[in-house]
Amino acid sequence: EAKRPHLHWTPCVAHCVDLILEDIGKLPDFKATLKKTMSVNAYIYVRPGMVNMLRQFTRQKELCRVGVTRFATAFLTLESMHLQKQNLRKMFISKDWTESKWAKEAAGKKVAKIIMTLRFWSSIVHILKIYGPLVRVLRLVDGERKPAMGYIYEAMDRAKETIMKAFKEKEEKYKEVFEIIDARWECQLHRPLHAAGHYLNPEYFYSYTDSNICGEVVNGLFETMERLVSSAAEQDKITTQLSIYRKAEGLFGRNVTIRHRRALSLAEWWECYGVNTPELQKFAIKMLSLTCSASGCERNWSIFEQVCNKYKCLI
């Protein structure tokens, strides 16, 4: 950043959220439950006969579901298992199971015990309450449908609020998890760029009043503007035009504009309705069109690597 003062550096948000999930997964209770879940999953899916039995009881529904990352996959598997809780318990007390060869194996008895233990299922519910909101953030920033730069700041706050409500604000149940989230947020994800995106997102901005707009968000906006806009004269014009945006004057206050605050992507919204504030419009489109995750590139590199490896094998 010192060499290129008008460029903003920001880490891959998808990777950072995945690291949060990984860190949470290392907590003793989480780790033990995830290990049991994966052992049940592995036991069933390496035995074709068990897979057929499972499908009979779940009406062809699978337990293993692939996600965008390893820890998203773990969450989806936990979610699928929770949805099939009653069917799994029925399967492991059924005649099909008790008369099978697997019921007599030590490994089979161990898996059956896990499925019939109530504490195992309550632990899964606890993990889902934590992982669910964070995986939704991961899906947001990893998606290719629209740039997520204007949504990250709010998404992380809402994820934490959802977790708090899920545990009825009993801090002892999520305190350790919040410490992990805050540690990653402060050192990796806490960037002025994300705060500026939040300010220029009309869906969120107009839900606040001037009195409760966070000072951190306003500071982030101006710090980002000073870095991305090199001309002092243009910075002054943007600052003046921000007043029009803040007060929802001109096009910003029209009914059609208000209706489209959610309907359009952020860059499209500014392109359509920011014409009376051209310098602010240009800055907003430039900033809100930025990608915040490199996972799309990583997927392309992975595919390219597979193609190259296959080609090398052929020659």
Side-chain angles (χ1 to χ4, degrees):
E1 289 192 6
K3 291 182 179 179
R4 297 172 177 82
H6 299 302
L7 291 179
H8 244 301
W9 177 88
T10 181
C12 172
V13 179
H15 180 64
C16 292
V17 175
D18 198 43
L19 290 175
I20 289 173
L21 294 173
E22 183 178 357
D23 291 344
I24 293 170
K26 291 176 182 176
L27 295 173
D29 290 343
F30 283 68
K31 187 175 181 179
T33 302
L34 287 168
K35 188 176 179 180
K36 288 176 183 177
T37 303
M38 294 307 132
S39 67
V40 170
N41 200 60
Y43 182 83
I44 292 172
Y45 279 95
V46 297
R47 294 166 174 80
M50 281 293 299
V51 175
N52 291 332
M53 189 190 300
L54 172 75
R55 288 170 180 166
Q56 288 175 16
F57 280 87
T58 63
R59 297 181 182 178
Q60 304 303 312
K61 299 288 176 62
E62 302 291 346
L63 296 182
C64 186
R65 293 170 58 196
V66 179
V68 291
T69 69
R70 179 160 59 96
F71 290 95
T73 297
F75 163 77
L76 293 171
T77 301
L78 282 170
E79 187 179 48
S80 295
M81 191 168 283
H82 177 62
L83 290 172
Q84 298 300 330
K85 173 184 174 181
Q86 296 304 324
N87 291 330
L88 282 168
R89 290 169 69 86
K90 286 177 184 177
M91 185 178 82
F92 280 98
I93 60 173
S94 70
K95 189 176 179 180
D96 291 341
W97 167 256
T98 55
E99 293 183 357
S100 70
K101 61 181 180 181
W102 304 298
K104 301 173 182 64
E105 296 175 351
K109 291 177 181 178
K110 184 177 179 181
V111 167
K113 184 179 179 181
I114 291 171
I115 293 297
M116 301 310 295
T117 303
L118 292 177
R119 187 178 176 184
F120 169 70
W121 294 105
S122 62
S123 182
I124 284 181
V125 172
H126 181 89
I127 293 174
L128 291 177
K129 286 178 179 179
I130 300 289
Y131 267 27
L134 295 173
V135 170
R136 284 195 286 274
V137 176
L138 182 59
R139 283 172 173 159
L140 168 70
V141 299
D142 189 62
E144 297 177 359
R145 188 170 60 89
K146 62 181 180 181
M149 186 59 73
Y151 297 95
I152 300 167
Y153 195 96
E154 182 75 8
M156 288 301 295
D157 277 352
R158 288 189 178 185
K160 291 176 72 175
E161 287 175 11
T162 302
I163 292 170
M164 288 170 63
K165 289 177 182 177
F167 292 107
K168 298 180 180 178
E169 300 190 5
K170 294 180 180 178
E171 191 179 359
E172 67 275 6
K173 292 189 175 182
Y174 55 80
K175 182 180 179 182
E176 202 170 5
V177 169
F178 273 22
E179 288 173 357
I180 290 171
I181 294 172
D182 291 342
R184 288 284 181 188
W185 174 256
E186 290 299 325
C187 74
Q188 291 181 311
L189 290 174
H190 195 192
R191 292 287 184 273
L193 201 62
H194 303 146
H198 179 76
Y199 191 101
L200 294 173
N201 184 335
E203 179 184 343
Y204 298 144
F205 180 79
Y206 290 113
S207 65
Y208 299 106
T209 61
D210 283 348
S211 60
N212 65 9
I213 294 175
C214 178
E216 179 182 84
V217 172
V218 178
N219 288 333
L221 173 73
F222 282 97
E223 186 175 334
T224 302
M225 181 185 69
E226 288 168 356
R227 181 172 285 275
L228 295 183
V229 181
S230 56
S231 166
E234 192 170 346
Q235 289 177 11
D236 292 343
K237 288 179 181 178
I238 291 171
T239 302
T240 301
Q241 292 167 11
L242 276 170
S243 175
I244 300 172
Y245 170 64
R246 188 171 60 251
K247 296 175 183 177
E249 296 176 347
L251 274 177
F252 293 130
R254 288 190 173 274
N255 290 333
V256 65
T257 312
I258 294 169
R259 289 199 304 272
H260 285 167
R261 287 173 186 172
R262 287 173 174 266
L264 297 178
S265 72
L266 300 183
E268 287 177 325
W269 189 87
W270 276 97
E271 189 174 0
C272 289
Y273 305 117
V275 291
N276 293 336
T277 53
E279 285 75 23
L280 175 59
Q281 179 192 48
K282 180 182 175 183
F283 168 63
I285 292 172
K286 178 181 180 180
M287 204 211 70
L288 294 168
S289 299
L290 295 173
T291 55
C292 58
S293 295
S295 48
C297 296
E298 289 175 1
R299 279 192 286 271
N300 290 336
W301 292 334
S302 297
I303 294 168
F304 182 71
E305 185 179 3
Q306 290 171 14
V307 172
C308 288
N309 287 341
K310 186 175 181 181
Y311 180 72
K312 287 177 183 177
C313 290
L314 289 173
I315 60 174

